Structure formats: structure tokens, C-alpha cells
Amino acid sequence: MNEDLNLIEEQILKIFKAQKKKANEPLSNTKVLEEAQKGLATILQNILKDLKDKGMIVEKENSLVLTAKGDDYLYKYNFYADY
């Protein structure tokens, strides 16, 4: 079986393992969402730091601002539907 999962899909499956769930054992949607949010919160600061270090975003007061470099990246990889 050759199934490639993206990082987020893998993290969701890992939540089941962390909750000691086996095949056919339920885990509430709410619990999965709560655990996913906790996981995201722990890595979000590192992701934001990396984006700042790469010059893609800057932080101003309590906001994040997309830089021209970040905008160029989005344009280059066709992340804008209107281009």
C-alpha cells in the first residue's frame, strides 16, 4: 500500500496514537480539533519566526504584514486567483 499523507494528515493520525486509540476506537471530533489546535500552537511561533527570517512577513505591533518578498512568492507560485 503506497499512501502518501501530507504533514497535517499525519499529525491528525498521531492524535489518535497520543490518545492511545486503536483501530475502530472512537475519538470525538471536538477532541481531535482541540488536540490539533494545541499542536499547531506549539509550532506556530517557529513557523512565524522562519517566515520573518526569510523576509516573507514582518511583525508590527500585534499584527503580521505580508512583505513584497512574500507577495512575490505567492505570485510566483500562483497562489493568487486573480493573476
Side-chain angles (χ1 to χ4, degrees), residues 19-34:
Q19 298 297 311
K20 300 182 182 2
K21 298 294 180 183
K22 296 182 180 168
N24 298 315
E25 292 182 345
L27 186 60
S28 76
N29 291 344
T30 302
K31 185 66 174 174
V32 172
L33 180 59
E34 288 171 359

